[in-house]
Amino acid sequence: MSTFFSRVDAAQFQEALSNVLRSATKRSRTIPVLEEALVEFADDHCTLTCTDLNQWCRATIPANGGEFSFVFTRSKSVLAACQYFSGDLDITYTTIPTERQSDPEGEICICDGKHGLRRLTYRASDFPELPEISMEWHYPINAEKLLERFKRIKYAVSQNDTRPTLCCIEFLDSRIVALDGYRLALSRDPELTVEKPFFIPPEVMASLQMFKGKDCTISVGKEWAAIGNETLRVYTHIPIKDGFDVDAAIPTKFEQEYPVPVDALWEEVKYLSGFLVSKERKPLRFDGRTLALTTSEGCYTSKIGLPSISARGFDAKYLLEGLGQFKAKKVAAVTMKVGHPHAPIILTDGEADLAMVLPVRLKESA
């Protein structure tokens, strides 16, 4: 029998385990270990790792003790227990190697002097290894600022997994972009300008919340990207660009441009969307002066009072989300740019944010 011991700070261990479990597979019948956290003690550090094979998260905290490793079973219940631990956390690992198995499953005991738990573990060798990753570009970022930009545009990320790049946020020069073929949303910030376009899944972008108030860097290689610092890092595969040209998709010529009050228009679209029948997906009719909705149950209108334009149709949900991008930013007014009735409209606050919404063809103008 072999026994190993190490000591960590309970609060740091809980935070690290909570962070890495965000990247664990939610449920895996074929590879159960992917639902769990790998724990490694070496060189006066404790490193915790989780992965779903496309995304990896690794957190490192100080430790004092021997060198050993294991994989938790029911990691989420361990995390639940960690909220009761405080101060120094003693971790004791016991295993019985045999001639046939030099790395057998073992037993872990965790105790802070008042509370404790004991449970069996998986072998560390059962856990997949993080591939060797080389990075070519490194961009220091303000995690909180980038997270807010992401939150404003994530509504336009595609759910169509046959186009992996459209399911991601694209970093393009000083812009981050989301598009799904019906909408396009972008946010520009010259403080973060990348040399070459790359893509990061929204799940990884959401992990920016773990870095609030901390120095953070986005690192990019040919096949991988990472967000993190010396103690916490999230790795992700980069999908290959499928050839979609963002700049070519955004119209540059318009028939009219005029200011639009964000909250006022959002409220009127919200009002009409309340009359939509769930089984019907009727478009809103917009001619500048009036918004109208005709359903099987009736006709509803709202006077907008904007300059008159050729009538066009819009999906209420898409129009609300486009306006919501600026509502979240607390922008009072945006410029609406309109062209042909079958061309997209553009909403923009100038150089920073832009939303593009494709129209829906109206039957009366078909």
Side-chain angles (χ1 to χ4, degrees):
M1 182 173 70
S2 299
T3 301
F4 305 89
F5 171 84
S6 191
R7 177 172 289 163
V8 297
D9 178 80
Q12 291 180 345
F13 188 81
Q14 179 186 4
E15 181 181 10
L17 182 57
S18 175
N19 284 336
V20 300
L21 279 174
R22 298 172 188 269
S23 297
T25 301
K26 300 302 181 261
R27 179 172 296 180
S28 177
R29 295 181 179 178
T30 56
I31 314 177
V33 75
L34 294 181
E35 300 178 31
E36 313 298 349
L38 169 67
V39 185
E40 300 172 286
F41 290 91
D43 301 324
D44 293 326
H45 288 91
C46 172
T47 301
L48 297 91
T49 306
C50 284
T51 183
D52 62 6
L53 298 183
N54 287 313
Q55 177 180 325
W56 297 70
C57 185
R58 178 164 284 176
T60 302
I61 61 174
N64 184 14
E67 296 189 5
F68 58 101
S69 58
F70 59 88
V71 177
F72 276 128
T73 55
R74 297 184 62 213
S75 301
K76 291 182 179 178
S77 68
V78 175
L79 177 61
C82 282
Q83 65 182 307
Y84 297 97
F85 296 142
S86 61
D88 289 336
L89 196 61
D90 293 339
I91 300 178
T92 305
Y93 178 59
T94 304
T95 184
I96 304 177
T98 65
E99 292 182 2
R100 293 185 177 182
Q101 181 58 264
S102 59
D103 179 26
E105 295 178 348
E107 184 180 72
I108 194 74
C109 178
I110 302 177
C111 180
D112 69 349
K114 181 178 181 180
H115 302 100
L117 66 83
R118 184 186 300 272
R119 68 188 325 132
L120 297 178
T121 63
Y122 290 123
R123 293 183 295 268
S125 58
D126 290 339
F127 201 86
E129 292 186 16
L130 178 65
E132 282 193 28
I133 297 173
S134 61
M135 300 298 185
E136 300 180 43
W137 298 280
H138 304 275
Y139 304 105
I141 61 171
N142 181 316
E144 293 182 61
K145 190 174 182 181
L146 182 56
L147 179 61
E148 290 305 312
R149 294 172 64 202
F150 160 67
K151 288 180 177 179
R152 292 201 300 270
I153 71 169
K154 67 178 182 179
Y155 69 87
V157 172
S158 175
Q159 302 299 314
N160 180 6
D161 56 12
T162 63
R163 300 285 298 275
T165 58
L166 300 190
C167 298
C168 294
I169 297 296
E170 180 174 6
F171 284 71
L172 180 65
D173 48 61
S174 61
R175 299 168 290 175
I176 57 172
V177 185
L179 67 138
D180 64 359
Y182 303 97
R183 300 159 294 179
L184 181 150
L186 67 82
S187 174
R188 186 191 307 270
D189 183 358
E191 290 184 8
L192 175 58
T193 301
V194 303
E195 298 177 46
K196 184 178 179 181
F198 60 90
F199 302 86
I200 292 185
E203 298 83 6
V204 178
M205 292 294 295
S207 71
L208 285 164
Q209 63 186 307
M210 301 189 298
F211 298 95
K212 287 186 176 181
K214 301 176 182 177
D215 292 335
C216 188
T217 298
I218 291 183
S219 300
V220 186
K222 292 182 179 179
E223 298 180 354
W224 291 83
I227 297 176
N229 52 32
E230 292 182 355
T231 61
L232 179 63
R233 191 170 297 274
V234 181
Y235 300 87
T236 182
H237 277 292
I238 298 178
I240 299 174
K241 187 173 177 63
D242 59 10
F244 193 94
D245 189 336
V246 170
D247 290 314
I250 302 174
T252 56
K253 295 182 180 180
F254 306 95
E255 295 178 1
Q256 289 179 268
E257 300 182 20
Y258 46 82
V260 173
V262 174
D263 287 347
L265 182 56
W266 190 91
E267 288 293 341
E268 298 310 318
V269 177
K270 186 71 174 177
Y271 159 71
L272 291 175
S273 67
F275 298 107
L276 285 168
V277 179
S278 59
K279 293 183 180 180
E280 298 178 321
R281 193 160 184 172
K282 299 292 185 179
L284 299 180
R285 182 184 184 277
F286 177 59
D287 64 8
R289 295 182 177 180
T290 305
L291 270 171
L293 173 67
T294 302
T295 72
S296 59
E297 297 180 342
C299 181
Y300 312 89
T301 60
S302 178
K303 293 183 179 179
I304 304 300
L306 296 172
S308 178
I309 59 173
S310 301
R312 63 205 65 209
F314 290 104
D315 183 300
K317 177 177 181 291
Y318 293 167
L319 190 53
L320 276 174
E321 289 175 333
L323 289 165
Q325 177 178 341
F326 300 95
K327 189 175 177 66
K329 197 178 178 183
K330 298 181 179 180
V331 173
V334 294
T335 298
M336 177 181 285
K337 302 181 180 183
V338 297
H340 188 276
H342 298 161
I345 64 163
I346 297 293
L347 303 173
T348 180
D349 61 355
E351 293 297 322
D353 276 39
L354 178 148
M356 184 176 80
V357 183
L358 270 68
V360 178
R361 190 180 292 268
L362 297 170
K363 288 185 177 180
E364 63 188 59
S365 59

